[in-house]
Amino acid sequence: MKRFSRLAALVVVIAATALGCSAKADQTTDKLKATLQSRIGDDATIKSISKSPIPGLYEVNLGTEIVYSDANGDYLFIGDIVDAKSRKNLTQARMTEINRIDFASLPFANAVKVVKGDGSRKIAVFSDPNCPYCHQLENTLKTMDNVTVYTFLYPVLSPDSTVKSKAIWCSPDRAKAWESWMLDRHAPTAAGTCNTAAIDSNLALGQAMKVDGTPTVFLADGRRLPGAVSGDQLNKAMNEATH
């Protein structure tokens, strides 16, 4: 995950004094946000600031990354917080929550829909037709049953990705055209021109949701799984999201 340049140059200091905050500190997040934003400038946009599990240390949400700050914004702490007893990565857990979406609000009319079995488990996938890991994920999905897959065509790799996405979208049977290309490498051929505004909408949506790689899977409970996850991992996650 990218780290902004200037922050990487800051000295990371873990000071004992930063861990003992006053009761007032948790009422100063707006001030802290303004202070930190002015100090880091355009290198990152602070989405929110909240208290961390450690007294006196504040969680700074940068959208794609979490860092930590003392109450005054004098020091930044870059790294993960791990619960020593449970060994749970608390930073990673928070990122999962921060990036959780409202699955039901996705514009499914803009997706290629494939139903396997009873379709009871649902996922949404942002996928580029020229992405090798997307092909890998499709081969994994081929082995699964009882799942509805909404594929949002997300051509970000090359101009040819856009050409293929439009051809798939304009095909008489989008699902068949998508699977034929992704599984068997049969190039899509559109029956004619059609309205491809859905693809532009998908690009805007993905950018707004910080989808910075393909494939990105969203589960029915709003969690995201980046990359071509394994079949076991995906099955487990889908089952968890359904119950």
PDB file of all heavy atoms in Angstrom, residues 4 18 32 42-43 55 59 61 70 81 88 93 97 102 104 112 124 130 159 162 165 177 186 211 215 220 231 243:
ATOM      1  N   PHE A   4       2.443   8.089   1.642  1.00  0.00           N
ATOM      2  CA  PHE A   4       2.707   9.403   1.075  1.00  0.00           C
ATOM      3  C   PHE A   4       4.136   9.805   1.406  1.00  0.00           C
ATOM      4  O   PHE A   4       4.665   9.477   2.461  1.00  0.00           O
ATOM      5  CB  PHE A   4       1.709  10.433   1.602  1.00  0.00           C
ATOM      6  CG  PHE A   4       1.374  10.257   3.041  1.00  0.00           C
ATOM      7  CD1 PHE A   4       2.063  10.947   4.021  1.00  0.00           C
ATOM      8  CD2 PHE A   4       0.393   9.358   3.425  1.00  0.00           C
ATOM      9  CE1 PHE A   4       1.776  10.748   5.348  1.00  0.00           C
ATOM     10  CE2 PHE A   4       0.103   9.155   4.756  1.00  0.00           C
ATOM     11  CZ  PHE A   4       0.786   9.856   5.723  1.00  0.00           C
ATOM     12  N   ALA A  18       3.226  10.717  25.296  1.00  0.00           N
ATOM     13  CA  ALA A  18       2.113  10.720  24.350  1.00  0.00           C
ATOM     14  C   ALA A  18       1.024   9.755  24.767  1.00  0.00           C
ATOM     15  O   ALA A  18      -0.099   9.834  24.283  1.00  0.00           O
ATOM     16  CB  ALA A  18       2.610  10.338  22.964  1.00  0.00           C
ATOM     17  N   LEU A  32      -7.208  18.695  16.125  1.00  0.00           N
ATOM     18  CA  LEU A  32      -6.103  17.810  15.757  1.00  0.00           C
ATOM     19  C   LEU A  32      -6.114  17.537  14.261  1.00  0.00           C
ATOM     20  O   LEU A  32      -5.065  17.538  13.605  1.00  0.00           O
ATOM     21  CB  LEU A  32      -6.208  16.492  16.534  1.00  0.00           C
ATOM     22  CG  LEU A  32      -5.159  15.411  16.223  1.00  0.00           C
ATOM     23  CD1 LEU A  32      -3.750  15.943  16.425  1.00  0.00           C
ATOM     24  CD2 LEU A  32      -5.406  14.180  17.084  1.00  0.00           C
ATOM     25  N   ASP A  42      -0.681  18.402   1.029  1.00  0.00           N
ATOM     26  CA  ASP A  42      -1.419  17.692  -0.015  1.00  0.00           C
ATOM     27  C   ASP A  42      -1.007  16.229  -0.167  1.00  0.00           C
ATOM     28  O   ASP A  42      -1.506  15.526  -1.055  1.00  0.00           O
ATOM     29  CB  ASP A  42      -1.215  18.395  -1.376  1.00  0.00           C
ATOM     30  CG  ASP A  42      -1.777  19.814  -1.375  1.00  0.00           C
ATOM     31  OD1 ASP A  42      -2.737  20.057  -0.627  1.00  0.00           O
ATOM     32  OD2 ASP A  42      -1.242  20.661  -2.122  1.00  0.00           O
ATOM     33  N   ASP A  43      -0.121  15.757   0.686  1.00  0.00           N
ATOM     34  CA  ASP A  43       0.351  14.372   0.543  1.00  0.00           C
ATOM     35  C   ASP A  43      -0.727  13.354   0.889  1.00  0.00           C
ATOM     36  O   ASP A  43      -0.657  12.207   0.443  1.00  0.00           O
ATOM     37  CB  ASP A  43       1.572  14.136   1.428  1.00  0.00           C
ATOM     38  CG  ASP A  43       2.810  14.822   0.860  1.00  0.00           C
ATOM     39  OD1 ASP A  43       3.015  14.733  -0.365  1.00  0.00           O
ATOM     40  OD2 ASP A  43       3.534  15.471   1.623  1.00  0.00           O
ATOM     41  N   PRO A  55      -4.610   4.909  25.322  1.00  0.00           N
ATOM     42  CA  PRO A  55      -4.891   6.258  25.831  1.00  0.00           C
ATOM     43  C   PRO A  55      -3.868   7.273  25.333  1.00  0.00           C
ATOM     44  O   PRO A  55      -2.655   7.026  25.373  1.00  0.00           O
ATOM     45  CB  PRO A  55      -4.801   6.088  27.350  1.00  0.00           C
ATOM     46  CG  PRO A  55      -5.117   4.651  27.587  1.00  0.00           C
ATOM     47  CD  PRO A  55      -4.502   3.922  26.414  1.00  0.00           C
ATOM     48  N   GLU A  59      -6.254   7.667  16.279  1.00  0.00           N
ATOM     49  CA  GLU A  59      -6.282   6.992  14.982  1.00  0.00           C
ATOM     50  C   GLU A  59      -6.553   8.024  13.900  1.00  0.00           C
ATOM     51  O   GLU A  59      -7.539   8.750  13.946  1.00  0.00           O
ATOM     52  CB  GLU A  59      -7.384   5.945  14.984  1.00  0.00           C
ATOM     53  CG  GLU A  59      -7.652   5.307  13.635  1.00  0.00           C
ATOM     54  CD  GLU A  59      -8.946   4.519  13.643  1.00  0.00           C
ATOM     55  OE1 GLU A  59      -8.992   3.460  14.301  1.00  0.00           O
ATOM     56  OE2 GLU A  59      -9.924   4.966  13.002  1.00  0.00           O
ATOM     57  N   ASN A  61      -7.372   8.340  10.060  1.00  0.00           N
ATOM     58  CA  ASN A  61      -7.842   7.576   8.905  1.00  0.00           C
ATOM     59  C   ASN A  61      -7.536   8.332   7.627  1.00  0.00           C
ATOM     60  O   ASN A  61      -8.068   9.415   7.381  1.00  0.00           O
ATOM     61  CB  ASN A  61      -9.351   7.332   9.043  1.00  0.00           C
ATOM     62  CG  ASN A  61      -9.977   6.748   7.789  1.00  0.00           C
ATOM     63  OD1 ASN A  61      -9.288   6.161   6.954  1.00  0.00           O
ATOM     64  ND2 ASN A  61     -11.276   6.918   7.645  1.00  0.00           N
ATOM     65  N   ASP A  70      -0.179  11.701  18.412  1.00  0.00           N
ATOM     66  CA  ASP A  70      -0.429  12.150  19.772  1.00  0.00           C
ATOM     67  C   ASP A  70      -1.507  13.231  19.736  1.00  0.00           C
ATOM     68  O   ASP A  70      -1.937  13.665  18.666  1.00  0.00           O
ATOM     69  CB  ASP A  70       0.861  12.696  20.392  1.00  0.00           C
ATOM     70  CG  ASP A  70       1.319  13.973  19.725  1.00  0.00           C
ATOM     71  OD1 ASP A  70       1.538  13.947  18.486  1.00  0.00           O
ATOM     72  OD2 ASP A  70       1.435  14.993  20.412  1.00  0.00           O
ATOM     73  N   ILE A  81      -1.157  -1.623  15.315  1.00  0.00           N
ATOM     74  CA  ILE A  81      -1.354  -1.928  16.722  1.00  0.00           C
ATOM     75  C   ILE A  81      -1.858  -3.365  16.816  1.00  0.00           C
ATOM     76  O   ILE A  81      -2.842  -3.725  16.176  1.00  0.00           O
ATOM     77  CB  ILE A  81      -2.371  -0.970  17.369  1.00  0.00           C
ATOM     78  CG1 ILE A  81      -1.808   0.455  17.414  1.00  0.00           C
ATOM     79  CG2 ILE A  81      -2.730  -1.434  18.777  1.00  0.00           C
ATOM     80  CD1 ILE A  81      -2.775   1.472  17.995  1.00  0.00           C
ATOM     81  N   LYS A  88      -4.417 -10.211  17.879  1.00  0.00           N
ATOM     82  CA  LYS A  88      -5.265  -9.660  16.822  1.00  0.00           C
ATOM     83  C   LYS A  88      -4.687  -8.340  16.335  1.00  0.00           C
ATOM     84  O   LYS A  88      -4.305  -7.485  17.134  1.00  0.00           O
ATOM     85  CB  LYS A  88      -6.691  -9.433  17.343  1.00  0.00           C
ATOM     86  CG  LYS A  88      -7.639  -8.862  16.311  1.00  0.00           C
ATOM     87  CD  LYS A  88      -9.035  -8.655  16.893  1.00  0.00           C
ATOM     88  CE  LYS A  88      -9.987  -8.077  15.850  1.00  0.00           C
ATOM     89  NZ  LYS A  88     -11.353  -7.873  16.394  1.00  0.00           N
ATOM     90  N   ALA A  93      -8.095  -4.704  11.581  1.00  0.00           N
ATOM     91  CA  ALA A  93      -9.527  -4.844  11.861  1.00  0.00           C
ATOM     92  C   ALA A  93     -10.256  -3.518  11.659  1.00  0.00           C
ATOM     93  O   ALA A  93     -11.378  -3.478  11.145  1.00  0.00           O
ATOM     94  CB  ALA A  93      -9.725  -5.344  13.287  1.00  0.00           C
ATOM     95  N   GLU A  97     -13.332  -2.314   8.971  1.00  0.00           N
ATOM     96  CA  GLU A  97     -14.560  -1.611   9.336  1.00  0.00           C
ATOM     97  C   GLU A  97     -14.700  -0.296   8.582  1.00  0.00           C
ATOM     98  O   GLU A  97     -15.785   0.061   8.109  1.00  0.00           O
ATOM     99  CB  GLU A  97     -14.591  -1.356  10.846  1.00  0.00           C
ATOM    100  CG  GLU A  97     -14.849  -2.597  11.669  1.00  0.00           C
ATOM    101  CD  GLU A  97     -16.145  -3.288  11.276  1.00  0.00           C
ATOM    102  OE1 GLU A  97     -17.177  -2.605  11.147  1.00  0.00           O
ATOM    103  OE2 GLU A  97     -16.118  -4.517  11.086  1.00  0.00           O
ATOM    104  N   ASP A 102     -22.130  -0.371   2.105  1.00  0.00           N
ATOM    105  CA  ASP A 102     -23.520  -0.820   2.125  1.00  0.00           C
ATOM    106  C   ASP A 102     -23.747  -1.612   0.846  1.00  0.00           C
ATOM    107  O   ASP A 102     -23.994  -1.040  -0.213  1.00  0.00           O
ATOM    108  CB  ASP A 102     -24.454   0.384   2.214  1.00  0.00           C
ATOM    109  CG  ASP A 102     -25.928  -0.025   2.222  1.00  0.00           C
ATOM    110  OD1 ASP A 102     -26.224  -1.234   2.227  1.00  0.00           O
ATOM    111  OD2 ASP A 102     -26.790   0.880   2.207  1.00  0.00           O
ATOM    112  N   ALA A 104     -26.090  -3.479  -0.286  1.00  0.00           N
ATOM    113  CA  ALA A 104     -27.398  -3.380  -0.937  1.00  0.00           C
ATOM    114  C   ALA A 104     -27.553  -2.118  -1.770  1.00  0.00           C
ATOM    115  O   ALA A 104     -28.403  -2.056  -2.668  1.00  0.00           O
ATOM    116  CB  ALA A 104     -28.508  -3.446   0.107  1.00  0.00           C
ATOM    117  N   VAL A 112     -22.477  -7.153 -14.539  1.00  0.00           N
ATOM    118  CA  VAL A 112     -22.757  -8.404 -15.235  1.00  0.00           C
ATOM    119  C   VAL A 112     -23.111  -9.431 -14.162  1.00  0.00           C
ATOM    120  O   VAL A 112     -22.313  -9.701 -13.263  1.00  0.00           O
ATOM    121  CB  VAL A 112     -21.534  -8.882 -16.043  1.00  0.00           C
ATOM    122  CG1 VAL A 112     -21.821 -10.231 -16.689  1.00  0.00           C
ATOM    123  CG2 VAL A 112     -21.156  -7.842 -17.105  1.00  0.00           C
ATOM    124  N   ALA A 124     -19.874  -8.933  -4.967  1.00  0.00           N
ATOM    125  CA  ALA A 124     -19.657  -7.985  -6.059  1.00  0.00           C
ATOM    126  C   ALA A 124     -18.164  -7.935  -6.329  1.00  0.00           C
ATOM    127  O   ALA A 124     -17.355  -7.929  -5.392  1.00  0.00           O
ATOM    128  CB  ALA A 124     -20.177  -6.598  -5.691  1.00  0.00           C
ATOM    129  N   ASN A 130      -8.560  -7.622 -18.695  1.00  0.00           N
ATOM    130  CA  ASN A 130      -7.178  -7.964 -19.034  1.00  0.00           C
ATOM    131  C   ASN A 130      -6.318  -8.237 -17.801  1.00  0.00           C
ATOM    132  O   ASN A 130      -5.101  -8.403 -17.923  1.00  0.00           O
ATOM    133  CB  ASN A 130      -6.538  -6.856 -19.868  1.00  0.00           C
ATOM    134  CG  ASN A 130      -7.057  -6.850 -21.294  1.00  0.00           C
ATOM    135  OD1 ASN A 130      -7.431  -7.893 -21.834  1.00  0.00           O
ATOM    136  ND2 ASN A 130      -7.101  -5.686 -21.916  1.00  0.00           N
ATOM    137  N   PRO A 159      -6.215   0.835 -22.640  1.00  0.00           N
ATOM    138  CA  PRO A 159      -7.328   1.147 -23.543  1.00  0.00           C
ATOM    139  C   PRO A 159      -8.036  -0.106 -24.052  1.00  0.00           C
ATOM    140  O   PRO A 159      -9.250  -0.107 -24.257  1.00  0.00           O
ATOM    141  CB  PRO A 159      -6.640   1.904 -24.690  1.00  0.00           C
ATOM    142  CG  PRO A 159      -5.442   2.531 -24.044  1.00  0.00           C
ATOM    143  CD  PRO A 159      -4.972   1.519 -23.039  1.00  0.00           C
ATOM    144  N   THR A 162     -10.856  -1.233 -21.943  1.00  0.00           N
ATOM    145  CA  THR A 162     -12.105  -0.497 -22.193  1.00  0.00           C
ATOM    146  C   THR A 162     -12.821  -1.066 -23.407  1.00  0.00           C
ATOM    147  O   THR A 162     -14.042  -1.244 -23.393  1.00  0.00           O
ATOM    148  CB  THR A 162     -11.805   1.000 -22.405  1.00  0.00           C
ATOM    149  OG1 THR A 162     -11.169   1.531 -21.234  1.00  0.00           O
ATOM    150  CG2 THR A 162     -13.086   1.773 -22.669  1.00  0.00           C
ATOM    151  N   SER A 165     -14.347  -4.349 -22.393  1.00  0.00           N
ATOM    152  CA  SER A 165     -15.461  -4.135 -21.463  1.00  0.00           C
ATOM    153  C   SER A 165     -16.703  -3.678 -22.206  1.00  0.00           C
ATOM    154  O   SER A 165     -17.820  -4.156 -21.933  1.00  0.00           O
ATOM    155  CB  SER A 165     -15.072  -3.097 -20.406  1.00  0.00           C
ATOM    156  OG  SER A 165     -14.047  -3.575 -19.559  1.00  0.00           O
ATOM    157  N   ALA A 177     -20.723 -13.795 -22.465  1.00  0.00           N
ATOM    158  CA  ALA A 177     -19.571 -13.138 -23.088  1.00  0.00           C
ATOM    159  C   ALA A 177     -18.439 -12.954 -22.083  1.00  0.00           C
ATOM    160  O   ALA A 177     -17.263 -13.155 -22.400  1.00  0.00           O
ATOM    161  CB  ALA A 177     -19.995 -11.789 -23.666  1.00  0.00           C
ATOM    162  N   HIS A 186     -12.116 -16.486 -25.361  1.00  0.00           N
ATOM    163  CA  HIS A 186     -12.825 -16.191 -26.600  1.00  0.00           C
ATOM    164  C   HIS A 186     -13.158 -14.706 -26.602  1.00  0.00           C
ATOM    165  O   HIS A 186     -13.989 -14.258 -25.801  1.00  0.00           O
ATOM    166  CB  HIS A 186     -14.100 -17.026 -26.720  1.00  0.00           C
ATOM    167  CG  HIS A 186     -13.835 -18.487 -26.877  1.00  0.00           C
ATOM    168  ND1 HIS A 186     -14.750 -19.469 -26.524  1.00  0.00           N
ATOM    169  CD2 HIS A 186     -12.735 -19.163 -27.336  1.00  0.00           C
ATOM    170  CE1 HIS A 186     -14.237 -20.657 -26.759  1.00  0.00           C
ATOM    171  NE2 HIS A 186     -13.015 -20.487 -27.251  1.00  0.00           N
ATOM    172  N   VAL A 211     -11.183   1.661  -4.809  1.00  0.00           N
ATOM    173  CA  VAL A 211     -10.819   0.393  -5.451  1.00  0.00           C
ATOM    174  C   VAL A 211      -9.594   0.669  -6.305  1.00  0.00           C
ATOM    175  O   VAL A 211      -9.691   1.166  -7.421  1.00  0.00           O
ATOM    176  CB  VAL A 211     -11.978  -0.155  -6.308  1.00  0.00           C
ATOM    177  CG1 VAL A 211     -11.547  -1.418  -7.037  1.00  0.00           C
ATOM    178  CG2 VAL A 211     -13.204  -0.432  -5.440  1.00  0.00           C
ATOM    179  N   PRO A 215      -8.531  -8.001  -9.035  1.00  0.00           N
ATOM    180  CA  PRO A 215      -9.935  -7.853  -8.667  1.00  0.00           C
ATOM    181  C   PRO A 215     -10.095  -7.380  -7.225  1.00  0.00           C
ATOM    182  O   PRO A 215      -9.211  -7.613  -6.397  1.00  0.00           O
ATOM    183  CB  PRO A 215     -10.471  -9.273  -8.814  1.00  0.00           C
ATOM    184  CG  PRO A 215      -9.289 -10.131  -8.456  1.00  0.00           C
ATOM    185  CD  PRO A 215      -8.089  -9.408  -8.997  1.00  0.00           C
ATOM    186  N   ALA A 220     -21.313  -9.699   1.006  1.00  0.00           N
ATOM    187  CA  ALA A 220     -22.670  -9.228   1.282  1.00  0.00           C
ATOM    188  C   ALA A 220     -22.756  -8.405   2.562  1.00  0.00           C
ATOM    189  O   ALA A 220     -23.671  -7.588   2.723  1.00  0.00           O
ATOM    190  CB  ALA A 220     -23.626 -10.412   1.359  1.00  0.00           C
ATOM    191  N   GLY A 231      -9.904 -20.205  -3.053  1.00  0.00           N
ATOM    192  CA  GLY A 231     -11.254 -20.722  -2.966  1.00  0.00           C
ATOM    193  C   GLY A 231     -11.691 -20.946  -1.528  1.00  0.00           C
ATOM    194  O   GLY A 231     -12.822 -20.626  -1.143  1.00  0.00           O
ATOM    195  N   HIS A 243     -24.353 -15.321   7.111  1.00  0.00           N
ATOM    196  CA  HIS A 243     -24.979 -15.648   8.395  1.00  0.00           C
ATOM    197  C   HIS A 243     -24.865 -14.488   9.375  1.00  0.00           C
ATOM    198  O   HIS A 243     -24.064 -13.606   9.227  1.00  0.00           O
ATOM    199  CB  HIS A 243     -24.329 -16.893   8.997  1.00  0.00           C
ATOM    200  CG  HIS A 243     -24.482 -18.115   8.123  1.00  0.00           C
ATOM    201  ND1 HIS A 243     -25.689 -18.693   7.872  1.00  0.00           N
ATOM    202  CD2 HIS A 243     -23.564 -18.821   7.424  1.00  0.00           C
ATOM    203  CE1 HIS A 243     -25.531 -19.744   7.074  1.00  0.00           C
ATOM    204  NE2 HIS A 243     -24.245 -19.833   6.788  1.00  0.00           N
TER     205      HIS A 243
END
